[in-house]
Amino acid sequence: MFYIIFFSLVLIATLALVFTKAYKSENPIVDKVLKVVVVVWMAIYFLNLFLPDAFAMRTFDDVTNYVGGENIWFAVVRWFNDVAFVILPIAIFFKKDLFNKFTAYAVVAICLLNVAAYFEYIKWYTSTDGAGIMALRFFGDETKAFFINHTFRSIYFGVSMFLELMLAIFITLRSFKSFKINKNVKSVLINVAAFVAILFAIIPIYVPQYLFKGYSMVGAGNLDNFKMGTFFHIVWMIGVIIEGVVLSLVFKKKSYSDRFILVLILAFALIMQYNQMFTGIGEITTHRMPFQLCNMAGLFILLMLITKNEKIYHFTIVINSVGAIIAMAMCDTTPYGITYIMNIHYVTEHTNVILVPILCATLGIFAPLKTKDIKHFVAGFSIYFVAILLIGGTFTGLYESTGNSYWNCNYLFMFNKAESTKILSFVGPLFDVKFKLFDFFTLSLVQLVVYVVFLAICTGAFFLIKFLLRKNTLWEDSQKNELMQN
């Protein structure tokens, strides 16, 4: 029944496009409607990350889901479909020929393949092993049952795939006449390489566990271990540097729009890969709420790019980048190996939080830093710090007064002494210098130290970045681009 309804609607909608020739229209209203539809589809696709999905869980009681290898094909199918989350909006908003071709040659086929896997999707979407928003303890049984209801998940999946396919068909029809068989082997290889690069940039954080058939608990010194100072930690740090240098060199001679699309792709990947964590971690407690600097960075970075807001840029390149570099150096991961879903999450998140703002600087997406810009990141961090102090302090007060573990948090590593000293043992005494307000809200010396020390480090980083990129001329060249004038 699903396929009959789905393909009937696709046929009707496609015929309507063909007969009305809407795809040929240069009417700005059609263009605006198309942009609204792709944004709606992206929202539907994104919100699905918070719904139950047993396939993306970080652990299973029966590990054969990973180690057996029988689910690799489905992991790859899902992985390829995430590429549409990047390609479709760029094809629609920027109308780049390369992304039109990606849509016609790849996204249409990938979407149909995912529709063909409908029963496999529904099996995992309706499994009681799923988590996401369903795992919240505040929901009743009826509400939780609704999230894994077969009809609801079928409709949700169908709407998402229908919009994706119709957007891809529209783009294909609109651009069809411009498609020519490219006989230049070098050009074809570059295009294929670009698609593969996007594919790896957007890889879902749960896929490596399937590709490498699971994860393993290992001891210190093994290559499979992923903690501070181990082989994969060092490889990761070097890899981020190499990636940043290579991307800067490759794209520095590209147009402003090409450079902007590069950082936008990484920003989309960051948003997806960070929030995929919520699909599989179990209950979303305050400990996992996105209030850490690196957690909020995805939102800040996307907002920065969409609005081209320089004040937000000054915050992200200093505060977010420095925070992510510190997190990368500390490598606060689990010992379950490099392919473990939470370790992949840690790597992808912090890599892009570091790279996107820095690439915005090296590629001239924003103007070079000026001394007066210091006030933007100082004010931004001060506002953020006060907000986190109030939120984290309130949650901690509830945790201490109720004993309910749901409220246990450690934002900026300044609310939970036991967790913080596991990473930096010397900070323990700073937690002990404290006093309580209203016998509920705790203020401690560690909070003041975090604010002062981190802001001091960031100030030093600001002047270092300003000095290193003082001769960057890409921004001046970019101002001539029509994208900056729109």
Side-chain angles (χ1 to χ4, degrees), residues 14-34:
T14 303
L15 289 174
L17 285 178
V18 172
F19 286 119
T20 62
K21 297 183 179 180
Y23 61 91
K24 290 185 176 181
S25 175
E26 295 296 331
N27 190 329
I29 295 178
V30 174
D31 197 46
K32 288 180 180 179
V33 169
L34 195 62

Side-chain angles (χ1 to χ4, degrees), residues 50 138 203-204 230 262 390 405:
F50 300 89
F138 304 111
I203 184 171
T230 58
L262 168 66
L390 293 174
S405 61

Side-chain angles (χ1 to χ4, degrees), residues 204-219:
I205 61 175
Y206 58 82
V207 163
Q209 286 189 186
Y210 285 100
L211 296 182
F212 295 94
K213 298 184 179 181
Y215 52 87
S216 60
M217 185 68 162
V218 295

Side-chain angles (χ1 to χ4, degrees), residues 152-385:
F152 167 65
R153 296 312 297 271
S154 294
I155 293 173
Y156 198 100
F157 175 78
V159 170
S160 177
M161 289 296 102
F162 173 78
L163 291 177
E164 179 181 329
L165 184 57
M166 292 313 304
L167 286 167
I169 290 173
F170 187 100
I171 293 167
T172 303
L173 291 172
R174 182 186 67 184
S175 312
F176 187 76
K177 286 187 177 180
S178 65
F179 295 161
K180 296 178 182 179
I181 297 176
N182 196 331
K183 297 181 180 179
N184 187 318
V185 176
K186 181 180 178 181
S187 179
V188 171
L189 290 176
I190 290 174
N191 291 348
V192 171
F195 182 83
V196 172
I198 293 172
L199 185 66
F200 277 94
I202 198 72
I203 184 171
I205 61 175
Y206 58 82
V207 163
Q209 286 189 186
Y210 285 100
L211 296 182
F212 295 94
K213 298 184 179 181
Y215 52 87
S216 60
M217 185 68 162
V218 295
N222 284 306
L223 291 183
D224 195 33
N225 195 16
F226 187 51
K227 297 295 289 182
M228 183 188 294
T230 58
F231 175 78
F232 283 116
H233 179 218
I234 295 171
V235 168
W236 173 34
M237 291 191 292
I238 295 174
V240 172
I241 297 172
I242 293 174
E243 183 179 356
V245 171
V246 169
L247 289 176
S248 294
L249 293 175
V250 169
F251 280 84
K252 70 177 183 179
K253 294 183 179 180
K254 301 291 185 181
S255 67
Y256 177 87
S257 61
D258 286 344
R259 286 178 270 141
F260 184 83
I261 287 171
L262 168 66
V263 293
L264 189 61
I265 288 172
L266 296 178
F268 281 148
L270 172 59
I271 284 288
M272 285 293 289
Q273 290 163 333
Y274 168 69
N275 287 283
Q276 281 164 353
M277 173 187 68
F278 294 120
T279 314
I281 59 172
E283 185 181 22
I284 305 170
T285 62
T286 56
H287 179 73
R288 286 296 183 186
M289 288 182 181
F291 292 126
Q292 293 280 33
L293 265 177
C294 293
N295 298 161
M296 299 185 73
L299 177 61
F300 291 151
I301 287 172
L302 193 58
L303 188 63
M304 169 192 79
L305 293 175
I306 292 173
T307 63
K308 296 187 179 67
N309 188 300
E310 289 196 345
K311 293 179 182 179
I312 301 177
Y313 165 65
H314 298 152
F315 179 89
T316 61
I317 194 172
V318 178
I319 301 297
N320 287 137
S321 293
V322 169
I325 290 171
I326 292 173
M328 181 173 67
M330 293 169 59
C331 199
D332 183 24
T333 56
T334 69
Y336 285 93
I338 186 64
T339 61
Y340 181 51
I341 184 173
M342 297 307 292
N343 289 343
I344 295 294
H345 153 75
Y346 195 87
V347 168
T348 55
E349 178 187 11
H350 292 101
T351 296
N352 284 332
V353 172
I354 293 169
L355 284 181
V356 176
I358 290 177
L359 286 172
C360 283
T362 61
L363 295 177
I365 304 298
F366 288 91
L369 295 176
K370 300 179 180 65
T371 302
K372 65 178 182 178
D373 298 331
I374 195 170
K375 63 180 180 290
H376 296 145
F377 79 81
V378 171
F381 181 69
S382 298
I383 293 170
Y384 166 78
F385 182 84

Side-chain angles (χ1 to χ4, degrees), residues 411-479:
Y411 310 133
L412 286 179
F413 303 98
M414 59 186 192
F415 295 101
N416 189 309
K417 178 180 177 180
E419 287 186 12
S420 297
T421 52
K422 285 180 182 178
I423 303 171
L424 298 172
S425 58
F426 61 85
V427 302
L430 299 177
F431 281 86
D432 298 329
V433 181
K434 60 184 179 180
F435 66 93
K436 278 194 174 186
L437 296 174
F438 313 111
D439 198 31
F440 176 80
F441 195 98
T442 301
L443 292 172
S444 63
L445 182 59
V446 71
Q447 294 159 351
L448 177 61
V449 170
V450 165
Y451 177 78
V452 173
V453 171
F454 186 74
L455 206 52
I457 294 172
C458 288
T459 301
F462 171 84
F463 286 106
L464 178 62
I465 296 169
K466 179 176 176 291
F467 173 76
L468 292 175
L469 297 176
R470 66 192 184 283
K471 295 181 180 180
N472 189 354
T473 60
L474 282 175
W475 166 251
E476 286 76 11
D477 297 338
S478 299
Q479 289 182 304

